[in-house]
Amino acid sequence: MAQITAKQAKDLASDFLGLAQAIGDFRYNHWDDLSTEENQQLAKMQWSILNYGEDILAISSTLVFNDVSNTLTKIDSITNEIRQSVDKLENIQKAINIGSIIVALGGAIISRRPQAILDHLQELSDTWNE
Amino acid sequence: MTGRVTYYLVMLLCVVAFTGCGSLKTLHEYTSASASGASNFQDIDYSFQQSCLDRCHLTAAREFSIERDASCPCEIYQTADSITQLIYNAVASYLIELNALSSNDLTTYNLDALQLAISYGDYSSLHIDDKQANAYMSLTRILLHTTNLYQTKKLKQFISEADPSLQILLEKLQFILGQNIIGELNFKKESVYAYYKEMSKSKSLSDYEKSKLVQDYYDQVATIQLKQQKITTLIDILKQIASGHQYIYTHLNSLSTKKVKQQIHGYAISIDGLMDDFNHLK
């Protein structure tokens, strides 16, 4: 037997909703003409159809997984590659930050500014440990 | 002479590098809007599980049944939620990482430390004149723009690889939201209608009770319709994300042109506008 698709299940659920609405409208329009037993039978049918329709919609969503399982794997793989590129650039940024601090430290040493030397050494240590 | 040639070469490289920088900014605008837009999925405040529980409680109300622990069989609905969440997570993670890769903050060059270092123009025997200082600054900007070029190159590669998969996942997410979750809300609307219609037929209700019933019914319908509107707006956001990504994919070789940048900017603005609409639905 061919497997039902997500769209087919969704269409079936729409039919169930229409059917439940039709039964309900019949009940309300003929309320005084129906016996208690007839009304209860129709109510049971109406509510069962509503419940089945909702179940079918949920099943339709689970059937989507059959369509996308390979695609999910592919996009996850690409996302991981992007993350690695971001990490690489963040490491480059760290190297840039360290480079600029070393240049500034060099300037402070050459110009013999003790406080600037201490500040840049602290900055270097903080950046390295990020 | 050599210095002059070097100077002009540096300037030329700056121009070339700057072109990449402009594309990056435009891409980042789109990726930032897309990542934020997609995250509204977490604010729709409804799920398959919720629809199952609502039905279960309504059935109990119809039957005047009060239990300490209402056992509602919702396994299929939980599975539907898991699958929806799986698809959303894949889309959201991709957009978030793409946004991170396109960020201008990813690689910056703090020129302040350098400027301080070379602003002291005379370090004992080491002289730094203006031309040398400018050349040094230009080189640091090239370093920055080189990494920007790397970002742009990588973004193009990933967008090209991901577009077919992203389009499928966004389409499926729109299907689940638009057909199935909104569909569940339509069933809920019908169930609420049937429940209140049955109650209104009771001959033992006073006029006050009947009018209270009508008020309760329309309050419930308004709540359901609001949820449906939020989901519809989210679907519009996802459509713009899909269209924008596909547009970028088909124009990867002309991202620096004014027309393409304006179009990408347009997608970002549309997404931002729809996010405002979403946030106003309370």
Side-chain angles (χ1 to χ4, degrees), chain A residues 8 21 35 39 56 75 77 91 98 111 113 120:
Chain A
Q8 285 170 331
Q21 284 172 331
S35 68
N39 206 337
I56 290 168
I75 204 87
S77 162
N91 287 336
I98 289 170
S111 59
R113 290 176 287 133
H120 289 309

Coordinates of all heavy atoms in Angstrom, one line a residue, chain A residues 8 21 35 39 56 75 77 91 98 111 113 120:
Chain A
Q8 N -1.4 14.9 1.6 CA -2.7 14.1 1.5 C -3.3 14.0 2.9 O -4.6 14.1 3.0 CB -2.3 12.7 1.0 CG -2.1 12.7 -0.5 CD -1.5 11.3 -0.9 OE1 -0.9 10.6 -0.2 NE2 -1.8 11.0 -2.2
Q21 N -18.4 19.9 10.6 CA -19.2 21.1 10.5 C -20.6 20.8 10.0 O -21.6 21.3 10.5 CB -18.5 22.2 9.7 CG -17.3 22.8 10.4 CD -16.5 23.7 9.5 OE1 -16.4 23.5 8.2 NE2 -15.9 24.7 10.0
S35 N -34.8 13.4 18.3 CA -35.0 12.8 19.6 C -33.7 12.9 20.3 O -32.6 13.2 19.7 CB -35.4 11.4 19.4 OG -34.3 10.6 18.9
N39 N -30.0 12.9 18.7 CA -29.0 14.0 18.9 C -27.7 13.5 19.5 O -26.6 13.9 19.1 CB -29.7 15.0 19.8 CG -29.1 16.4 19.6 OD1 -28.0 16.6 19.1 ND2 -29.9 17.4 20.0
I56 N -5.2 13.4 12.5 CA -4.6 13.3 11.2 C -3.7 14.5 10.9 O -2.6 14.3 10.3 CB -5.7 13.2 10.1 CG1 -6.5 11.9 10.2 CG2 -5.2 13.4 8.7 CD1 -7.7 11.8 9.4
I75 N 22.0 20.4 6.0 CA 22.1 21.8 6.6 C 22.8 21.8 7.9 O 23.6 22.7 8.2 CB 20.7 22.4 6.7 CG1 20.7 23.9 6.7 CG2 20.0 22.0 8.0 CD1 20.7 24.5 5.3
S77 N 25.3 19.9 8.6 CA 26.8 19.8 8.2 C 27.3 21.1 7.8 O 28.4 21.6 8.2 CB 26.9 18.8 7.1 OG 28.1 18.9 6.4
N91 N 39.9 33.4 16.1 CA 41.4 33.2 16.4 C 42.2 34.2 15.7 O 43.2 34.6 16.3 CB 41.8 31.7 16.0 CG 41.2 30.7 17.0 OD1 40.9 31.0 18.1 ND2 41.1 29.5 16.5
I98 N 46.5 40.5 19.8 CA 47.8 40.3 20.5 C 48.9 41.1 19.8 O 49.8 41.7 20.4 CB 48.1 38.8 20.6 CG1 47.1 38.2 21.6 CG2 49.6 38.6 21.0 CD1 47.2 36.7 21.6
S111 N 60.1 54.0 24.4 CA 60.0 55.3 25.0 C 60.1 55.4 26.5 O 59.9 56.4 27.1 CB 58.7 56.0 24.5 OG 57.6 55.2 25.0
R113 N 58.3 54.2 29.1 CA 57.1 54.7 29.9 C 56.6 53.5 30.8 O 55.9 52.6 30.3 CB 56.0 55.1 29.0 CG 56.3 56.4 28.2 CD 55.2 56.8 27.3 NE 55.2 55.9 26.1 CZ 54.1 55.3 25.6 NH1 52.9 55.5 26.2 NH2 54.2 54.6 24.5
H120 N 50.1 47.5 29.2 CA 50.1 46.7 28.0 C 50.4 45.2 28.3 O 49.9 44.3 27.7 CB 51.1 47.2 26.9 CG 50.6 48.5 26.3 ND1 49.4 48.7 25.8 CD2 51.2 49.7 26.1 CE1 49.2 49.9 25.3 NE2 50.4 50.6 25.5

